[in-house]
Amino acid sequence: MPAGRDTRARFLRTTGQHASIEPDAFTDGSYVLSIGGAEQSHVNLVRPEEIFYEYLRRIGHLVDLAAPVGEPVRALHLGAGALTLARYIQASRPGSVQYAVELERELLDFVLRQLPLPEGTDLHTVTGDARESLARLDPELRFDVVILDIFSGPEAPAHLACSAFYREIRDRLSPSGVLIVNVGDEPGLTLVRSQVAAMREAMADVAAFAEAGMFEGRHPGNVILAGTQTPWPRDWTAELTARGPHPAKVLAGLDLDPFAG
């Protein structure tokens, strides 16, 4: 923990859980955010461009493809966590303007106090429900990237895991903007299937990106869904597969049809 900073856990009133931030014993300058005793986020303050969790690295690779290398973007994070991806975007795309929506006011305050953002980060924080907060943002705002990282498995809030919400997000995207959704799911991938179908109702095209074995539906894990407003770029499939983490697999078009129900 940075010297002189409050290291106590913080009580989160909305969920009734405690959040804590502890140093990563294996990586200097890195910290782990836990909520309710479960690891939730990992932050490398020294090298924010290095992302530890595999599913977040996959999201980072999609952000890399959303605009030319190094070009600033306007990004919206629905679900803030430890702001790992906001730090990554600032490191890889200086000058980006970012918004982060988090339901837990205490969590945002705690994270920003314990793990300050890199100098120059232009981040606007919003406390509240993701859908309600989206509606309250300046209606003129358009985003190049929207990252939804809120729900998993049967606990997914129905008002967020639906095509109506995805259409609302689509309407806030720039013409080439990309919607990225992290879906944590159980064996059988019931939530993944429902979200592929819901996103297809809202977006022009949808692809799924994950560790190759996840698509067999035999174990729990994360699948990253990407919605585009034009046909899915074929070169993105090859690029994402090559970037990993390995083994990586991307499904789009007819290959994704078995997961759209």
mmCIF file of all heavy atoms in Angstrom, residues 179-224:
data_model
loop_
_atom_site.group_PDB
_atom_site.id
_atom_site.type_symbol
_atom_site.label_atom_id
_atom_site.label_comp_id
_atom_site.label_asym_id
_atom_site.label_seq_id
_atom_site.Cartn_x
_atom_site.Cartn_y
_atom_site.Cartn_z
ATOM 1 N N LEU A 179 -19.293 -1.839 -28.249
ATOM 2 C CA LEU A 179 -19.812 -2.242 -26.946
ATOM 3 C C LEU A 179 -19.114 -3.530 -26.540
ATOM 4 O O LEU A 179 -19.138 -4.520 -27.280
ATOM 5 C CB LEU A 179 -21.323 -2.457 -27.023
ATOM 6 C CG LEU A 179 -21.977 -3.182 -25.838
ATOM 7 C CD1 LEU A 179 -21.771 -2.404 -24.536
ATOM 8 C CD2 LEU A 179 -23.469 -3.404 -26.106
ATOM 9 N N ILE A 180 -18.501 -3.537 -25.353
ATOM 10 C CA ILE A 180 -17.780 -4.706 -24.847
ATOM 11 C C ILE A 180 -18.432 -5.136 -23.545
ATOM 12 O O ILE A 180 -18.571 -4.335 -22.615
ATOM 13 C CB ILE A 180 -16.294 -4.388 -24.611
ATOM 14 C CG1 ILE A 180 -15.649 -3.854 -25.902
ATOM 15 C CG2 ILE A 180 -15.555 -5.617 -24.114
ATOM 16 C CD1 ILE A 180 -14.244 -3.304 -25.694
ATOM 17 N N VAL A 181 -18.840 -6.400 -23.472
ATOM 18 C CA VAL A 181 -19.551 -6.915 -22.294
ATOM 19 C C VAL A 181 -18.820 -8.131 -21.744
ATOM 20 O O VAL A 181 -18.601 -9.106 -22.477
ATOM 21 C CB VAL A 181 -21.004 -7.296 -22.646
ATOM 22 C CG1 VAL A 181 -21.741 -7.793 -21.401
ATOM 23 C CG2 VAL A 181 -21.745 -6.104 -23.258
ATOM 24 N N ASN A 182 -18.441 -8.060 -20.477
ATOM 25 C CA ASN A 182 -17.878 -9.232 -19.811
ATOM 26 C C ASN A 182 -19.012 -10.053 -19.222
ATOM 27 O O ASN A 182 -19.804 -9.542 -18.418
ATOM 28 C CB ASN A 182 -16.915 -8.818 -18.701
ATOM 29 C CG ASN A 182 -16.469 -10.013 -17.874
ATOM 30 O OD1 ASN A 182 -16.129 -11.060 -18.416
ATOM 31 N ND2 ASN A 182 -16.491 -9.868 -16.565
ATOM 32 N N VAL A 183 -19.095 -11.325 -19.605
ATOM 33 C CA VAL A 183 -20.125 -12.216 -19.078
ATOM 34 C C VAL A 183 -19.446 -13.330 -18.295
ATOM 35 O O VAL A 183 -18.790 -14.194 -18.882
ATOM 36 C CB VAL A 183 -20.995 -12.820 -20.203
ATOM 37 C CG1 VAL A 183 -22.107 -13.674 -19.587
ATOM 38 C CG2 VAL A 183 -21.584 -11.718 -21.074
ATOM 39 N N GLY A 184 -19.566 -13.281 -16.977
ATOM 40 C CA GLY A 184 -19.102 -14.387 -16.153
ATOM 41 C C GLY A 184 -20.215 -15.401 -16.058
ATOM 42 O O GLY A 184 -21.353 -15.047 -15.720
ATOM 43 N N ASP A 185 -19.923 -16.665 -16.354
ATOM 44 C CA ASP A 185 -21.006 -17.644 -16.438
ATOM 45 C C ASP A 185 -20.589 -18.986 -15.854
ATOM 46 O O ASP A 185 -19.409 -19.266 -15.633
ATOM 47 C CB ASP A 185 -21.444 -17.817 -17.901
ATOM 48 C CG ASP A 185 -22.909 -18.233 -18.029
ATOM 49 O OD1 ASP A 185 -23.563 -18.449 -16.986
ATOM 50 O OD2 ASP A 185 -23.393 -18.330 -19.163
ATOM 51 N N GLU A 186 -21.598 -19.810 -15.643
ATOM 52 C CA GLU A 186 -21.415 -21.143 -15.107
ATOM 53 C C GLU A 186 -21.399 -22.154 -16.243
ATOM 54 O O GLU A 186 -21.703 -21.817 -17.394
ATOM 55 C CB GLU A 186 -22.554 -21.450 -14.130
ATOM 56 C CG GLU A 186 -22.625 -20.466 -12.953
ATOM 57 C CD GLU A 186 -23.824 -20.702 -12.065
ATOM 58 O OE1 GLU A 186 -24.787 -21.400 -12.512
ATOM 59 O OE2 GLU A 186 -23.809 -20.207 -10.925
ATOM 60 N N PRO A 187 -21.047 -23.425 -15.967
ATOM 61 C CA PRO A 187 -21.100 -24.448 -17.025
ATOM 62 C C PRO A 187 -22.474 -24.462 -17.696
ATOM 63 O O PRO A 187 -23.499 -24.315 -17.045
ATOM 64 C CB PRO A 187 -20.828 -25.747 -16.251
ATOM 65 C CG PRO A 187 -19.988 -25.323 -15.098
ATOM 66 C CD PRO A 187 -20.532 -23.981 -14.690
ATOM 67 N N GLY A 188 -22.471 -24.659 -19.003
ATOM 68 C CA GLY A 188 -23.708 -24.586 -19.774
ATOM 69 C C GLY A 188 -23.877 -23.256 -20.474
ATOM 70 O O GLY A 188 -24.574 -23.156 -21.481
ATOM 71 N N LEU A 189 -23.244 -22.206 -19.922
ATOM 72 C CA LEU A 189 -23.208 -20.873 -20.548
ATOM 73 C C LEU A 189 -24.609 -20.329 -20.858
ATOM 74 O O LEU A 189 -24.841 -19.702 -21.885
ATOM 75 C CB LEU A 189 -22.359 -20.913 -21.832
ATOM 76 C CG LEU A 189 -20.923 -21.402 -21.668
ATOM 77 C CD1 LEU A 189 -20.200 -21.361 -23.016
ATOM 78 C CD2 LEU A 189 -20.180 -20.568 -20.625
ATOM 79 N N THR A 190 -25.517 -20.510 -19.924
ATOM 80 C CA THR A 190 -26.884 -20.018 -20.114
ATOM 81 C C THR A 190 -26.923 -18.509 -20.272
ATOM 82 O O THR A 190 -27.625 -17.971 -21.144
ATOM 83 C CB THR A 190 -27.765 -20.438 -18.928
ATOM 84 O OG1 THR A 190 -27.782 -21.862 -18.833
ATOM 85 C CG2 THR A 190 -29.198 -19.942 -19.115
ATOM 86 N N LEU A 191 -26.174 -17.804 -19.430
ATOM 87 C CA LEU A 191 -26.176 -16.341 -19.518
ATOM 88 C C LEU A 191 -25.500 -15.871 -20.788
ATOM 89 O O LEU A 191 -25.966 -14.926 -21.446
ATOM 90 C CB LEU A 191 -25.491 -15.740 -18.288
ATOM 91 C CG LEU A 191 -25.461 -14.212 -18.233
ATOM 92 C CD1 LEU A 191 -26.867 -13.634 -18.233
ATOM 93 C CD2 LEU A 191 -24.687 -13.728 -17.000
ATOM 94 N N VAL A 192 -24.401 -16.509 -21.175
ATOM 95 C CA VAL A 192 -23.722 -16.144 -22.421
ATOM 96 C C VAL A 192 -24.693 -16.241 -23.592
ATOM 97 O O VAL A 192 -24.793 -15.332 -24.425
ATOM 98 C CB VAL A 192 -22.495 -17.036 -22.670
ATOM 99 C CG1 VAL A 192 -21.960 -16.825 -24.090
ATOM 100 C CG2 VAL A 192 -21.405 -16.740 -21.650
ATOM 101 N N ARG A 193 -25.428 -17.344 -23.653
ATOM 102 C CA ARG A 193 -26.367 -17.546 -24.764
ATOM 103 C C ARG A 193 -27.448 -16.465 -24.781
ATOM 104 O O ARG A 193 -27.786 -15.927 -25.848
ATOM 105 C CB ARG A 193 -27.000 -18.939 -24.656
ATOM 106 C CG ARG A 193 -25.998 -20.071 -24.777
ATOM 107 C CD ARG A 193 -26.641 -21.438 -24.520
ATOM 108 N NE ARG A 193 -25.637 -22.472 -24.373
ATOM 109 C CZ ARG A 193 -25.047 -23.106 -25.383
ATOM 110 N NH1 ARG A 193 -25.383 -22.801 -26.620
ATOM 111 N NH2 ARG A 193 -24.130 -24.029 -25.155
ATOM 112 N N SER A 194 -27.976 -16.134 -23.607
ATOM 113 C CA SER A 194 -29.030 -15.114 -23.567
ATOM 114 C C SER A 194 -28.482 -13.743 -23.953
ATOM 115 O O SER A 194 -29.179 -12.958 -24.613
ATOM 116 C CB SER A 194 -29.659 -15.056 -22.171
ATOM 117 O OG SER A 194 -28.756 -14.529 -21.210
ATOM 118 N N GLN A 195 -27.231 -13.461 -23.587
ATOM 119 C CA GLN A 195 -26.669 -12.148 -23.902
ATOM 120 C C GLN A 195 -26.242 -12.028 -25.355
ATOM 121 O O GLN A 195 -26.303 -10.948 -25.937
ATOM 122 C CB GLN A 195 -25.508 -11.846 -22.963
ATOM 123 C CG GLN A 195 -25.927 -11.728 -21.507
ATOM 124 C CD GLN A 195 -27.179 -10.897 -21.325
ATOM 125 O OE1 GLN A 195 -27.166 -9.687 -21.514
ATOM 126 N NE2 GLN A 195 -28.289 -11.539 -20.969
ATOM 127 N N VAL A 196 -25.804 -13.117 -25.961
ATOM 128 C CA VAL A 196 -25.532 -13.087 -27.402
ATOM 129 C C VAL A 196 -26.820 -12.738 -28.143
ATOM 130 O O VAL A 196 -26.841 -11.873 -29.037
ATOM 131 C CB VAL A 196 -24.959 -14.428 -27.894
ATOM 132 C CG1 VAL A 196 -24.931 -14.461 -29.424
ATOM 133 C CG2 VAL A 196 -23.555 -14.650 -27.348
ATOM 134 N N ALA A 197 -27.919 -13.394 -27.767
ATOM 135 C CA ALA A 197 -29.198 -13.134 -28.428
ATOM 136 C C ALA A 197 -29.655 -11.696 -28.194
ATOM 137 O O ALA A 197 -30.113 -11.018 -29.122
ATOM 138 C CB ALA A 197 -30.251 -14.120 -27.914
ATOM 139 N N ALA A 198 -29.512 -11.213 -26.957
ATOM 140 C CA ALA A 198 -29.948 -9.853 -26.640
ATOM 141 C C ALA A 198 -29.109 -8.818 -27.378
ATOM 142 O O ALA A 198 -29.644 -7.825 -27.909
ATOM 143 C CB ALA A 198 -29.874 -9.627 -25.129
ATOM 144 N N MET A 199 -27.796 -9.021 -27.439
ATOM 145 C CA MET A 199 -26.938 -8.063 -28.128
ATOM 146 C C MET A 199 -27.186 -8.070 -29.626
ATOM 147 O O MET A 199 -27.108 -7.030 -30.285
ATOM 148 C CB MET A 199 -25.475 -8.356 -27.826
ATOM 149 C CG MET A 199 -25.061 -7.972 -26.412
ATOM 150 S SD MET A 199 -23.302 -8.281 -26.077
ATOM 151 C CE MET A 199 -22.510 -7.097 -27.178
ATOM 152 N N ARG A 200 -27.485 -9.240 -30.180
ATOM 153 C CA ARG A 200 -27.773 -9.302 -31.612
ATOM 154 C C ARG A 200 -29.020 -8.525 -31.983
ATOM 155 O O ARG A 200 -29.150 -8.058 -33.118
ATOM 156 C CB ARG A 200 -27.908 -10.763 -32.055
ATOM 157 C CG ARG A 200 -26.566 -11.454 -32.297
ATOM 158 C CD ARG A 200 -26.745 -12.858 -32.808
ATOM 159 N NE ARG A 200 -25.529 -13.364 -33.451
ATOM 160 C CZ ARG A 200 -25.441 -14.537 -34.042
ATOM 161 N NH1 ARG A 200 -26.495 -15.357 -34.077
ATOM 162 N NH2 ARG A 200 -24.302 -14.917 -34.613
ATOM 163 N N GLU A 201 -29.931 -8.353 -31.044
ATOM 164 C CA GLU A 201 -31.126 -7.554 -31.310
ATOM 165 C C GLU A 201 -30.817 -6.062 -31.337
ATOM 166 O O GLU A 201 -31.578 -5.284 -31.919
ATOM 167 C CB GLU A 201 -32.196 -7.845 -30.250
ATOM 168 C CG GLU A 201 -32.787 -9.247 -30.322
ATOM 169 C CD GLU A 201 -33.859 -9.470 -29.282
ATOM 170 O OE1 GLU A 201 -34.273 -8.477 -28.630
ATOM 171 O OE2 GLU A 201 -34.292 -10.614 -29.107
ATOM 172 N N ALA A 202 -29.707 -5.688 -30.709
ATOM 173 C CA ALA A 202 -29.377 -4.264 -30.589
ATOM 174 C C ALA A 202 -28.258 -3.814 -31.509
ATOM 175 O O ALA A 202 -28.251 -2.666 -31.973
ATOM 176 C CB ALA A 202 -28.995 -3.950 -29.142
ATOM 177 N N MET A 203 -27.287 -4.693 -31.776
ATOM 178 C CA MET A 203 -26.086 -4.313 -32.513
ATOM 179 C C MET A 203 -26.094 -4.937 -33.905
ATOM 180 O O MET A 203 -26.742 -5.956 -34.146
ATOM 181 C CB MET A 203 -24.834 -4.764 -31.757
ATOM 182 C CG MET A 203 -24.757 -4.281 -30.321
ATOM 183 S SD MET A 203 -24.707 -2.476 -30.142
ATOM 184 C CE MET A 203 -23.141 -2.093 -30.953
ATOM 185 N N ALA A 204 -25.346 -4.329 -34.820
ATOM 186 C CA ALA A 204 -25.282 -4.861 -36.186
ATOM 187 C C ALA A 204 -24.614 -6.224 -36.221
ATOM 188 O O ALA A 204 -24.990 -7.095 -37.012
ATOM 189 C CB ALA A 204 -24.537 -3.888 -37.102
ATOM 190 N N ASP A 205 -23.615 -6.423 -35.358
ATOM 191 C CA ASP A 205 -22.918 -7.709 -35.330
ATOM 192 C C ASP A 205 -22.360 -7.931 -33.934
ATOM 193 O O ASP A 205 -22.152 -6.985 -33.165
ATOM 194 C CB ASP A 205 -21.791 -7.749 -36.362
ATOM 195 C CG ASP A 205 -21.556 -9.149 -36.917
ATOM 196 O OD1 ASP A 205 -22.066 -10.126 -36.327
ATOM 197 O OD2 ASP A 205 -20.865 -9.261 -37.950
ATOM 198 N N VAL A 206 -22.127 -9.204 -33.602
ATOM 199 C CA VAL A 206 -21.631 -9.576 -32.277
ATOM 200 C C VAL A 206 -20.600 -10.682 -32.437
ATOM 201 O O VAL A 206 -20.751 -11.571 -33.277
ATOM 202 C CB VAL A 206 -22.778 -10.063 -31.356
ATOM 203 C CG1 VAL A 206 -22.228 -10.505 -30.003
ATOM 204 C CG2 VAL A 206 -23.821 -8.966 -31.168
ATOM 205 N N ALA A 207 -19.550 -10.624 -31.631
ATOM 206 C CA ALA A 207 -18.550 -11.684 -31.587
ATOM 207 C C ALA A 207 -18.287 -12.041 -30.136
ATOM 208 O O ALA A 207 -18.539 -11.250 -29.221
ATOM 209 C CB ALA A 207 -17.257 -11.250 -32.276
ATOM 210 N N ALA A 208 -17.774 -13.249 -29.907
ATOM 211 C CA ALA A 208 -17.427 -13.719 -28.572
ATOM 212 C C ALA A 208 -15.953 -14.080 -28.546
ATOM 213 O O ALA A 208 -15.450 -14.732 -29.467
ATOM 214 C CB ALA A 208 -18.283 -14.923 -28.196
ATOM 215 N N PHE A 209 -15.284 -13.708 -27.475
ATOM 216 C CA PHE A 209 -13.825 -13.851 -27.351
ATOM 217 C C PHE A 209 -13.537 -14.449 -25.981
ATOM 218 O O PHE A 209 -13.970 -13.910 -24.949
ATOM 219 C CB PHE A 209 -13.193 -12.465 -27.488
ATOM 220 C CG PHE A 209 -11.702 -12.396 -27.400
ATOM 221 C CD1 PHE A 209 -10.887 -13.460 -27.764
ATOM 222 C CD2 PHE A 209 -11.090 -11.220 -26.957
ATOM 223 C CE1 PHE A 209 -9.503 -13.357 -27.700
ATOM 224 C CE2 PHE A 209 -9.707 -11.113 -26.881
ATOM 225 C CZ PHE A 209 -8.914 -12.187 -27.252
ATOM 226 N N ALA A 210 -12.828 -15.593 -25.942
ATOM 227 C CA ALA A 210 -12.571 -16.244 -24.663
ATOM 228 C C ALA A 210 -11.459 -17.269 -24.796
ATOM 229 O O ALA A 210 -10.964 -17.542 -25.905
ATOM 230 C CB ALA A 210 -13.841 -16.931 -24.153
ATOM 231 N N GLU A 211 -11.077 -17.837 -23.670
ATOM 232 C CA GLU A 211 -10.208 -19.003 -23.667
ATOM 233 C C GLU A 211 -10.933 -20.104 -24.427
ATOM 234 O O GLU A 211 -12.136 -20.318 -24.236
ATOM 235 C CB GLU A 211 -9.914 -19.409 -22.227
ATOM 236 C CG GLU A 211 -8.923 -20.535 -22.079
ATOM 237 C CD GLU A 211 -9.588 -21.896 -22.103
ATOM 238 O OE1 GLU A 211 -10.721 -22.026 -21.602
ATOM 239 O OE2 GLU A 211 -8.973 -22.829 -22.638
ATOM 240 N N ALA A 212 -10.235 -20.797 -25.322
ATOM 241 C CA ALA A 212 -10.881 -21.714 -26.256
ATOM 242 C C ALA A 212 -11.795 -22.729 -25.574
ATOM 243 O O ALA A 212 -12.900 -23.023 -26.052
ATOM 244 C CB ALA A 212 -9.814 -22.431 -27.090
ATOM 245 N N GLY A 213 -11.373 -23.248 -24.420
ATOM 246 C CA GLY A 213 -12.163 -24.263 -23.747
ATOM 247 C C GLY A 213 -13.476 -23.765 -23.185
ATOM 248 O O GLY A 213 -14.385 -24.573 -22.913
ATOM 249 N N MET A 214 -13.616 -22.450 -23.006
ATOM 250 C CA MET A 214 -14.861 -21.918 -22.452
ATOM 251 C C MET A 214 -16.062 -22.241 -23.327
ATOM 252 O O MET A 214 -17.173 -22.423 -22.832
ATOM 253 C CB MET A 214 -14.751 -20.397 -22.287
ATOM 254 C CG MET A 214 -14.141 -19.937 -20.981
ATOM 255 S SD MET A 214 -15.042 -20.492 -19.519
ATOM 256 C CE MET A 214 -16.663 -19.751 -19.801
ATOM 257 N N PHE A 215 -15.864 -22.301 -24.636
ATOM 258 C CA PHE A 215 -16.999 -22.517 -25.536
ATOM 259 C C PHE A 215 -17.515 -23.950 -25.499
ATOM 260 O O PHE A 215 -18.552 -24.253 -26.092
ATOM 261 C CB PHE A 215 -16.606 -22.112 -26.957
ATOM 262 C CG PHE A 215 -16.335 -20.631 -27.092
ATOM 263 C CD1 PHE A 215 -15.049 -20.162 -27.323
ATOM 264 C CD2 PHE A 215 -17.357 -19.713 -26.965
ATOM 265 C CE1 PHE A 215 -14.789 -18.801 -27.438
ATOM 266 C CE2 PHE A 215 -17.120 -18.351 -27.075
ATOM 267 C CZ PHE A 215 -15.837 -17.887 -27.306
ATOM 268 N N GLU A 216 -16.827 -24.834 -24.796
ATOM 269 C CA GLU A 216 -17.329 -26.190 -24.611
ATOM 270 C C GLU A 216 -18.365 -26.251 -23.493
ATOM 271 O O GLU A 216 -19.068 -27.253 -23.357
ATOM 272 C CB GLU A 216 -16.171 -27.136 -24.302
ATOM 273 C CG GLU A 216 -15.146 -27.226 -25.445
ATOM 274 C CD GLU A 216 -13.951 -28.080 -25.059
ATOM 275 O OE1 GLU A 216 -13.950 -28.647 -23.933
ATOM 276 O OE2 GLU A 216 -13.016 -28.171 -25.879
ATOM 277 N N GLY A 217 -18.463 -25.191 -22.697
ATOM 278 C CA GLY A 217 -19.482 -25.110 -21.662
ATOM 279 C C GLY A 217 -19.316 -26.096 -20.527
ATOM 280 O O GLY A 217 -20.289 -26.493 -19.886
ATOM 281 N N ARG A 218 -18.075 -26.460 -20.230
ATOM 282 C CA ARG A 218 -17.834 -27.470 -19.197
ATOM 283 C C ARG A 218 -17.378 -26.891 -17.874
ATOM 284 O O ARG A 218 -17.369 -27.589 -16.866
ATOM 285 C CB ARG A 218 -16.790 -28.474 -19.703
ATOM 286 C CG ARG A 218 -17.247 -29.263 -20.920
ATOM 287 C CD ARG A 218 -16.138 -30.188 -21.408
ATOM 288 N NE ARG A 218 -16.542 -30.929 -22.603
ATOM 289 C CZ ARG A 218 -15.736 -31.736 -23.288
ATOM 290 N NH1 ARG A 218 -14.475 -31.901 -22.892
ATOM 291 N NH2 ARG A 218 -16.168 -32.367 -24.359
ATOM 292 N N HIS A 219 -16.960 -25.634 -17.871
ATOM 293 C CA HIS A 219 -16.482 -25.056 -16.622
ATOM 294 C C HIS A 219 -16.835 -23.578 -16.576
ATOM 295 O O HIS A 219 -17.066 -22.948 -17.615
ATOM 296 C CB HIS A 219 -14.966 -25.253 -16.486
ATOM 297 C CG HIS A 219 -14.158 -24.732 -17.638
ATOM 298 N ND1 HIS A 219 -13.738 -23.431 -17.716
ATOM 299 C CD2 HIS A 219 -13.709 -25.339 -18.771
ATOM 300 C CE1 HIS A 219 -13.044 -23.248 -18.828
ATOM 301 N NE2 HIS A 219 -13.022 -24.383 -19.491
ATOM 302 N N PRO A 220 -16.896 -23.010 -15.369
ATOM 303 C CA PRO A 220 -17.233 -21.582 -15.249
ATOM 304 C C PRO A 220 -16.085 -20.706 -15.718
ATOM 305 O O PRO A 220 -14.930 -21.130 -15.752
ATOM 306 C CB PRO A 220 -17.477 -21.423 -13.743
ATOM 307 C CG PRO A 220 -16.640 -22.491 -13.118
ATOM 308 C CD PRO A 220 -16.681 -23.653 -14.063
ATOM 309 N N GLY A 221 -16.417 -19.497 -16.073
ATOM 310 C CA GLY A 221 -15.385 -18.571 -16.530
ATOM 311 C C GLY A 221 -16.000 -17.355 -17.184
ATOM 312 O O GLY A 221 -17.190 -17.071 -17.016
ATOM 313 N N ASN A 222 -15.180 -16.641 -17.938
ATOM 314 C CA ASN A 222 -15.596 -15.386 -18.560
ATOM 315 C C ASN A 222 -15.550 -15.476 -20.075
ATOM 316 O O ASN A 222 -14.593 -15.998 -20.641
ATOM 317 C CB ASN A 222 -14.695 -14.241 -18.111
ATOM 318 C CG ASN A 222 -14.740 -14.010 -16.625
ATOM 319 O OD1 ASN A 222 -14.105 -14.727 -15.855
ATOM 320 N ND2 ASN A 222 -15.508 -13.025 -16.207
ATOM 321 N N VAL A 223 -16.590 -14.943 -20.704
ATOM 322 C CA VAL A 223 -16.644 -14.786 -22.154
ATOM 323 C C VAL A 223 -16.856 -13.304 -22.430
ATOM 324 O O VAL A 223 -17.752 -12.676 -21.856
ATOM 325 C CB VAL A 223 -17.777 -15.613 -22.791
ATOM 326 C CG1 VAL A 223 -17.872 -15.324 -24.287
ATOM 327 C CG2 VAL A 223 -17.546 -17.107 -22.553
ATOM 328 N N ILE A 224 -16.031 -12.740 -23.285
ATOM 329 C CA ILE A 224 -16.148 -11.328 -23.645
ATOM 330 C C ILE A 224 -16.950 -11.213 -24.940
ATOM 331 O O ILE A 224 -16.586 -11.803 -25.958
ATOM 332 C CB ILE A 224 -14.765 -10.682 -23.841
ATOM 333 C CG1 ILE A 224 -13.868 -10.964 -22.635
ATOM 334 C CG2 ILE A 224 -14.919 -9.184 -24.078
ATOM 335 C CD1 ILE A 224 -14.436 -10.522 -21.311
#
